[in-house]
Amino acid sequence: MSSIDQVFAELRDANRKAFIPFVTAGDPSLDVTSAVLKELSSRGGNVCELGIPYSDPIADGPVIQASYTRALDRKIKLSQILEMAGNTTPQMTAPLVTMVSYAIILRHGPEEYLRTAKAAGVAGAIVPDLLVEESGDFAKLCQQHDFSLIQLVTPTTSRERALRIAETSTGFIYYVSVAGITGERTELPKDLLDNVSWLRNQTKVPICIGFGISQPEHVRTLKKVADGVIVGSAIVRRLSEIGAKPAEQVIAEVGDYAETLIAALNE
């Protein structure tokens, strides 16, 4: 059983849902990224998601795109990110997964990426530009390394294809709440609960919902059908205030914000 499988098994036994925060690696610095990951883990994050900056982000809205650009402008390299992860994961209770383009994995070499990521304590990867139809070889490598390959289902995914994705995902399924890009929203689609409920009845793999989630009311609604929620832009936007405010203050504010969402999950 992988560390992510273990987390969801424990949550299921406790009748609880997962809170999965996202942060961009290297924005505003790798030291801050390390500190905020530890903060979010200590505040009750169940799995933490680390975005690997990429010049051509997929489905990322303006907040996360801007964070990627800031990190890339600082010449952040994958080797530095994984070194930071290696120094950070021993101090976290939550498993760490990367949101990473397959172009980066290919450039690094799939086998080498998995080896170095595992050595850094990374438990899995979300690879948004890796189609399920083309994921077979990488999925086998992930299985060999006991590394979760978390695949995405979107509102435009056909039910037939969603079943195929569910069969090949490990760790959890990333259910994209909206057709479009990441970013905070005031309302979620009306058919979201029905669509997730249908998939919930087709697979035993945990389903976590991301994109557009930022408010306790969103969490209260989604926990009826999901095994967890993923929150990115709202956290990244707060971290972008570092500079105007001291880093320690912003990290504490991010931790406080995470606790409000976790409290809503546990009501």
Side-chain angles (χ1 to χ4, degrees):
M1 179 179 287
S2 74
S3 58
I4 297 175
D5 294 337
Q6 184 68 36
V7 164
F8 281 100
E10 291 173 358
L11 288 169
R12 188 166 51 249
D13 289 345
N15 195 28
R16 292 176 56 193
K17 305 300 174 76
F19 176 70
I20 305 177
F22 169 99
V23 297
T24 294
D27 180 46
S29 70
L30 289 173
D31 286 344
V32 167
T33 302
S34 176
V36 75
L37 286 172
K38 288 182 283 190
E39 179 79 7
L40 289 164
S41 177
S42 71
R43 296 283 194 133
N46 302 106
V47 177
C48 289
E49 187 182 327
L50 180 65
I52 307 296
Y54 183 51
S55 59
D56 189 18
I58 304 125
D60 289 308
V63 171
I64 293 177
Q65 279 193 34
S67 72
Y68 280 6
T69 299
R70 290 192 294 271
L72 291 171
D73 286 346
R74 296 185 179 93
K75 311 297 183 187
I76 300 291
K77 298 183 183 303
L78 179 62
S79 58
Q80 295 171 310
I81 294 170
L82 293 179
E83 181 181 358
M84 177 277 295
N87 293 329
T88 304
T89 51
Q91 302 174 66
M92 297 171 59
T93 55
L96 183 68
V97 301
T98 53
M99 170 77 89
V100 57
S101 167
Y102 197 59
I104 293 175
I105 294 174
L106 273 179
R107 189 163 63 237
H108 204 66
E111 183 92 42
E112 180 64 11
Y113 181 84
L114 292 174
R115 189 189 66 75
T116 53
K118 280 282 290 186
V122 177
I126 303 158
V127 190
D129 55 347
L130 180 60
L131 302 178
V132 65
E133 293 83 359
E134 300 172 357
S135 67
D137 290 343
F138 188 61
K140 288 178 184 175
L141 275 178
C142 289
Q143 289 175 358
Q144 292 168 11
H145 287 267
D146 191 22
F147 191 85
S148 295
L149 179 58
I150 299 145
Q151 306 216 57
L152 291 91
V153 172
T154 75
T156 58
T157 301
S158 69
R159 292 195 163 181
E160 179 182 6
R161 192 161 183 269
L163 291 176
R164 186 171 179 183
I165 292 169
E167 290 171 355
T168 58
S169 285
T170 53
F172 63 91
I173 296 166
Y174 191 130
Y175 197 101
V176 176
S177 69
V178 295
I181 57 176
T182 62
E184 298 169 69
R185 289 170 171 82
T186 55
E187 294 185 1
L188 297 171
K190 291 183 171 53
D191 58 354
L192 175 60
L193 297 188
D194 288 342
N195 290 334
V196 176
S197 292
W198 173 82
L199 185 59
R200 174 70 288 149
N201 290 328
Q202 312 302 316
T203 178
K204 294 183 178 178
V205 180
I207 301 171
C208 298
I209 303 177
F211 282 42
I213 300 163
S214 62
Q215 302 173 16
E217 192 55 42
H218 294 160
V219 171
R220 293 186 186 100
T221 299
L222 297 178
K223 71 177 184 179
K224 300 171 187 172
V225 295
D227 298 288
V229 297
I230 302 161
V231 178
S233 293
I235 291 172
V236 172
R237 178 176 58 75
R238 284 169 170 79
L239 290 171
S240 70
E241 296 174 355
I242 290 177
K245 297 179 183 178
E248 295 77 8
Q249 178 184 338
V250 174
I251 291 170
E253 290 174 356
V254 167
D256 292 343
Y257 168 67
E259 283 193 349
T260 65
L261 300 181
I262 293 168
L265 268 179
N266 293 329
E267 287 175 353

